[in-house]
């Protein structure tokens, strides 16, 4: 095989590997490229390589994916093979036979490969709504926010991050593995979500700091030399938590993904952001990054309206994923005695506004977003190619 053909085959294998491990929709796989390869005499060997990179992948052997998903994937792979070759593949049929009679469990695993070669593996519910919550599965905004974080590690490096509504934990685990925070607090309020979240933290090799209630959180002093961040899973009810309880986390960065799905949650989230904006009276309030898919424009409008009433904000360009608009915005409290313009020019107090907002804006523009929104070219960044494989050409 010529060097160029080997490189093409390697890219195809990586595309199948990343999509399969993350259990992405089968329609997102590079089937057309595979069909072209199968017309060559080396096609059967390529299929076996794909089998090893997907169903037989070490991560899948250790952390099984959905049985239904594996069954559908193998059936499609066999169809592609039979369309190009008359001889059946014993290996493919054997793999399919192993899952035909298997029962679908209530939980399965997804894995996301990071640029470092490390991975994030999550145990999730097979049902979108389970035990009265949608927090037992990963939603698209978490993928976007995780991707953005991996591409912008300086936002989190050696800082304490508090995540609101962590759900299955993808965003936080990606940050903990790729961005070197000194401490990371996962939080949610549903007991089943917290139970699964704790399991996913342990599954990815982190130990949990003592205490899982917002009223008892007092993170230890930061240590830049620590190999792993101090990780905490906290029960946090947005409606009842107080500013002093939030201040006890000492957050430098606050983030949330896909937590805006009804007016009630909007008002609760804005209330938490208001308390956070005032929880560090001697310093600047923590930076906040909120990623969400706009399913109902009225809910989005309510959020921006209520947020504008509660705290001073700066909104940055949105990103569009197919028909769903997703926004990442930065919330930054202005200095209580001085209002700053967007350029961060010096005011009468002689101090300068922290550069976080302007830096976030420039980073956002480097990702390729236009002022009118629109999805950046994710293939240009390794985070996009890894964490969102269905929206880019694999590297």
């Amino acid at each position: 095989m010529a060097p160029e053909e080997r490189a093409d085959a390697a890219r195809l294998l990586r595309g199948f590997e990343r999509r399969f491990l993350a259990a992405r929709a089968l329609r997102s796989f590079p089937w057309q490229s595979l069909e072209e390869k199968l017309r060559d005499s080396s096609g059967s060997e390529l299929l076996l390589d794909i089998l090893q990179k997907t169903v037989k992948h070490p991560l899948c052997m250790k952390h099984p994916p959905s049985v239904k998903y594996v069954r559908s994937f193998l059936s499609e792979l066999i169809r592609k093979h039979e369309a190009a070759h008359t001889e059946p593949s014993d290996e493919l049929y054997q793999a399919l036979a192993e899952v035909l009679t298997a029962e679908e469990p209530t939980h399965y695993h997804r894995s996301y490969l990071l640029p470092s070669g490390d991975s994030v593996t999550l145990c999730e519910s097979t049902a979108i709504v389970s035990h009265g919550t949608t927090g037992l599965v990963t939603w698209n905004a978490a993928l976007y926010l995780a991707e953005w974080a991996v591409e912008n590690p300086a936002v989190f490096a050696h800082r304490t991050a508090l995540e609101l509504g962590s759900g299955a934990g993808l965003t936080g685990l990606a940050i903990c593995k790729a961005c070197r925070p000194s401490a990371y607090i996962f939080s949610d309020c549903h007991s089943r979500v917290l139970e699964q979240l704790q399991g996913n933290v342990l599954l990815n090799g982190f130990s949990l700091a003592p205490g899982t209630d917002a009223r008892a959180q007092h993170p230890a002093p930061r240590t830049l030399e620590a190999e792993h961040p101090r990780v905490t899973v906290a029960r946090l009810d947005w409606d009842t938590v107080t500013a002093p309880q939030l201040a006890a986390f000492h957050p430098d960065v606050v983030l949330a993904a896909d937590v805006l799905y009804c007016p009630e949650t909007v008002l609760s989230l804005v209330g938490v952001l208001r308390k956070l904006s005032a929880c560090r009276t001697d310093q600047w309030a923590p930076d906040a990054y909120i990623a969400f898919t706009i399913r109902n424009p009225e809910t989005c409008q309510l959020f921006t309206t209520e947020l504008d009433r509660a705290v001073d904000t700066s909104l940055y360009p949105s990103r569009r994923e197919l028909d769903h608009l997703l926004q990442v915005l930065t919330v930054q409290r202005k200095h209580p005695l001085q209002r700053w313009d967007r350029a961060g020019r010096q005011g009468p107090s002689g101090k300068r506004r922290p550069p976080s907002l302007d830096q976030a804006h420039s980073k956002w523009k480097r990702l390729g977003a236009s002022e009118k929104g629109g999805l950046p070219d994710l293939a240009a960044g390794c985070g996009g190619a890894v964490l969102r494989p269905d929206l880019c050409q694999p590297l």
Side-chain angles (χ1 to χ4, degrees):
M1 185 182 297
E4 184 177 344
E5 292 178 340
R6 284 198 296 269
D8 289 342
R11 281 193 292 270
L12 185 64
L13 285 173
R14 285 198 295 272
F16 270 87
E17 177 185 37
R18 290 168 175 170
R19 287 167 172 81
F20 184 85
L21 292 178
R24 304 309 297 168
L26 292 184
R27 64 178 179 275
S28 72
F29 282 66
W31 297 111
Q32 184 175 351
S33 298
L34 175 62
E35 291 171 343
E36 294 173 358
K37 292 289 184 182
L38 289 177
R39 299 189 187 104
D40 302 332
S41 58
S42 60
S44 297
E45 181 180 346
L46 177 61
L47 278 175
L48 297 183
D49 290 339
I50 289 176
L51 191 64
Q52 293 300 316
K53 288 289 187 179
T54 55
V55 178
K56 301 297 183 181
H57 195 286
L59 281 173
C60 293
M61 302 304 291
K62 186 176 182 180
H63 307 294
S66 163
V67 172
K68 182 180 179 181
Y69 184 79
V70 174
R71 192 182 300 139
S72 298
F73 173 78
L74 287 172
S75 298
E76 185 64 22
L77 202 59
I78 289 173
R79 279 194 291 270
K80 299 300 182 184
H81 170 75
E82 291 179 342
H85 298 272
T86 56
E87 290 295 325
S89 169
D90 292 340
E91 291 84 354
L92 290 179
Y93 277 104
Q94 177 61 35
L96 180 60
E98 292 174 0
V99 296
L100 277 178
T101 58
E103 294 184 2
E104 180 78 357
T106 58
H107 289 75
Y108 71 106
H109 296 86
R110 294 185 184 214
S111 295
Y112 300 86
L113 302 182
L114 300 175
S116 62
D118 203 348
S119 62
V120 172
T121 297
L122 302 175
C123 178
E124 299 186 9
S125 171
T126 55
I128 293 178
V129 179
S130 179
H131 301 284
T133 179
T134 58
L136 297 173
V137 297
T138 298
W139 295 88
N140 278 346
L143 292 167
Y144 272 98
L145 191 55
E147 173 191 302
W148 181 85
V150 169
E151 293 174 343
N152 297 272
V155 173
F156 305 95
H158 312 310
R159 305 179 79 191
T160 295
L162 168 63
E163 184 178 2
L164 305 173
S166 300
L170 171 63
T171 299
L173 289 168
I175 290 173
C176 287
K177 290 196 172 190
C179 302
R180 302 186 65 188
S182 59
Y184 198 95
I185 301 103
F186 296 86
S187 73
D188 218 293
C189 65
H190 195 283
S191 58
R192 286 293 185 124
V193 174
L194 289 168
E195 180 182 351
Q196 178 180 276
L197 186 55
Q198 290 173 348
N200 283 336
V201 169
L202 298 174
L203 182 64
N204 284 272
F206 296 100
S207 57
L208 286 170
T212 57
D213 193 290
R215 293 168 294 182
Q217 295 308 311
H218 298 283
R222 308 171 201 164
T223 55
L224 301 185
E225 297 78 13
E227 183 178 355
H228 296 294
R230 175 184 170 90
V231 177
T232 305
V233 175
R235 183 186 300 275
L236 196 157
D237 188 319
W238 298 352
D239 293 323
T240 61
V241 68
T242 65
Q245 290 168 355
L246 291 169
F249 290 119
H250 305 293
D252 300 304
V253 184
V254 177
L255 62 158
D258 237 334
V259 295
L260 301 174
Y261 45 85
C262 68
E264 290 76 13
T265 61
V266 167
L267 298 177
S268 297
L269 177 61
V270 170
V272 171
L273 293 176
R274 182 191 297 112
K275 295 169 187 174
L276 283 164
S277 71
C279 73
R280 297 175 66 173
T281 56
D282 60 329
Q283 306 176 42
W284 291 94
D287 299 328
Y289 299 90
I290 312 297
F292 58 97
T293 302
I294 299 180
R295 299 177 177 87
N296 185 337
E298 293 181 359
T299 302
C300 172
Q301 184 60 47
L302 175 64
F303 176 56
T304 55
T305 300
E306 291 298 322
L307 193 62
D308 191 54
R309 292 176 181 173
V311 292
D312 291 327
T313 64
S314 294
L315 302 181
Y316 290 113
S318 60
R319 305 165 73 166
R320 182 174 299 278
E321 181 208 348
L322 301 179
D323 295 329
H324 298 288
L325 184 66
L326 180 141
Q327 292 185 335
V328 176
L329 60 88
T330 304
V331 182
Q332 173 69 55
R333 182 170 63 96
K334 302 292 196 300
H335 192 282
L337 301 179
Q338 175 67 47
R339 296 187 66 85
W340 304 85
D341 61 20
R342 284 204 172 192
R345 286 190 285 267
Q346 188 170 337
S349 64
K351 298 180 180 179
R352 289 189 61 83
R353 169 181 159 192
S356 58
L357 286 178
D358 295 325
Q359 289 175 352
H361 197 186
S362 62
K363 288 175 183 175
W364 182 259
K365 294 180 76 68
R366 282 201 296 273
L367 287 176
S370 68
E371 291 297 327
K372 296 180 180 179
L375 187 67
D377 180 10
L378 298 184
C382 58
V386 176
L387 286 169
R388 290 309 311 271
D390 58 325
L391 295 178
C392 65
Q393 296 298 319
L395 294 176

